[in-house]
Amino acid sequence: MNRGLSIERGSHVEPNEQGHWMADLSAVDDPLLGPFFKRSQALDAELQWLEQIWMRSLPDRDRGVADSLASGERTTAVARQFKISPGRISQLRRALQESWQHFHEQPALV
């Protein structure tokens, strides 16, 4: 039963007329990325774009913590850098993981 709701993909990764791969995010008002010689390059660019959008949605401190942890910094070093406890860093790590999963699970409504 259709109740006026349609769900569309947020992006498409397809080759163009020249055979180069493009990541088209126009369905969610985002850019056309490419051209790329390999499909894997287009998929990587799409993921990087999504990561940037997600990171911009975070408060400044959480964005900094996420960036430091993603770059391989240890919990204690990140705690010192942001002047918070290592326990709080562990809590933020879990919250960031949940936020990232939630970000990917949201359907695009049109």
Side-chain angles (χ1 to χ4, degrees), residues 9 14 17 26 28 38 43 46 57 61-62 77-79 81 91 103 109:
R9 290 177 52 135
E14 304 290 338
E17 299 81 28
S26 62
V28 290
K38 296 180 181 178
L43 291 169
E46 176 187 36
S57 74
R61 185 194 67 183
D62 292 357
V78 177
Q81 179 183 355
Q91 291 171 340
F103 178 79
L109 299 178

Side-chain angles (χ1 to χ4, degrees), residues 66-77:
D67 197 41
S68 293
L69 291 170
S71 68
E73 293 291 330
R74 299 182 60 93
T75 299
T76 53

